[in-house]
Amino acid sequence: MQSLLNAIRSYIPFSADDEEVAHKLFRKKILSKGEHLLEAGNVCRYLAFIETGLVRYYATDEKEEKTNYFNKEGDFVCDYMSFLPQTASFVSIQALEDTVLYVINQSDLQTFYKDVEHGERFGRLGIEYVFVQAINQIRSLYTDPPEIRYQKFIASYPDISQRIPQYYIASYVGVKPQSLSRIRNRMAGKH
């Protein structure tokens, strides 16, 4: 749980009393590789923090999975579009490897915001970060060619690109696996 406490500290001052609140409210959850934290059509019940492991967010469109995001150790995981209003999710969140999480439900998160001195600030800063990441990703999908999106993927996820199957990376970039291979070969030829 220490990595969770350190992550919270990166956003707000966090006292020993605040730590006690976190210990009471966050619960450990373990996902096996391939298991889902959330499946599309269900309500996202948790904000989660990844202690170890890796997850992907994906949506299914006409029976084809489209990967749209990854989270790794030290990241918070949530489908906020479902979690905040408690409505059905359009995305699934799946473990790409065995993953250890600390989860908090919406009711307990409200208690965290109330009982932790700077709890609401933590929530605001976290949502601002997610918002900026989402806007940057949407802009990239509309304005960047696939090669640039792949370069941005490598820049954003340099430490996990070897842990993710290439077909998920291709889906994230918005190309077929064969096209990703050609992009990678062209980039390798430039270096």
Side-chain angles (χ1 to χ4, degrees):
M1 178 168 259
Q2 192 58 49
S3 56
L4 167 62
L5 301 176
N6 290 341
I8 294 170
R9 259 189 211 91
S10 73
Y11 286 92
I12 59 171
F14 205 59
S15 70
D17 289 341
D18 294 336
E19 283 187 25
E20 282 185 41
V21 172
H23 277 283
K24 289 177 188 171
L25 298 176
F26 281 88
R27 306 270 182 257
K28 189 174 193 175
K29 183 172 182 64
I30 299 173
L31 296 177
S32 299
K33 179 180 180 176
E35 193 174 350
H36 285 84
L37 177 65
L38 172 66
E39 291 187 69
N42 294 331
V43 174
C44 183
R45 301 279 179 212
Y46 302 106
L47 167 64
F49 175 81
I50 302 177
E51 182 175 72
T52 60
L54 177 64
V55 301
R56 75 175 177 120
Y57 295 64
Y58 70 93
T60 303
D61 180 26
E62 297 175 17
K63 309 233 187 268
E64 182 182 353
E65 291 180 1
K66 296 186 177 182
T67 299
N68 54 28
Y69 206 70
F70 301 99
N71 283 124
K72 61 179 176 40
E73 297 85 5
D75 289 342
F76 287 92
V77 178
C78 188
D79 175 15
Y80 293 97
M81 296 284 292
S82 170
F83 181 74
L84 295 175
Q86 290 291 279
T87 58
S89 177
F90 294 103
V91 301
S92 297
I93 302 174
Q94 179 185 39
L96 294 181
E97 54 193 39
D98 292 345
T99 301
V100 177
L101 305 155
Y102 285 96
V103 300
I104 188 168
N105 64 36
Q106 192 181 57
S107 173
D108 287 343
L109 185 60
Q110 296 307 313
T111 300
F112 180 90
Y113 290 159
K114 181 174 66 72
D115 292 352
V116 169
E117 184 176 356
H118 300 285
E120 287 189 359
R121 181 170 185 241
F122 167 75
R124 180 181 56 81
L125 293 173
I127 291 294
E128 287 174 359
Y129 175 81
V130 168
F131 177 76
V132 169
Q133 295 293 358
I135 295 300
N136 283 335
Q137 185 179 7
I138 291 167
R139 182 179 55 211
S140 179
L141 282 171
Y142 283 105
T143 62
D144 294 334
E147 191 163 331
I148 297 298
R149 288 197 305 269
Y150 180 66
Q151 289 170 353
K152 286 182 176 181
F153 166 80
I154 295 298
S156 296
Y157 302 106
D159 53 335
I160 63 168
S161 61
Q162 298 306 312
R163 294 164 53 191
I164 301 173
Q166 293 302 300
Y167 53 92
Y168 290 150
I169 296 173
S171 175
Y172 175 82
V173 171
V175 298
K176 299 289 182 205
Q178 306 87 324
S179 297
L180 180 62
S181 291
R182 286 191 292 277
I183 289 169
R184 293 176 73 199
N185 288 337
R186 279 195 307 270
M187 288 175 62
K190 292 179 183 177
H191 295 293

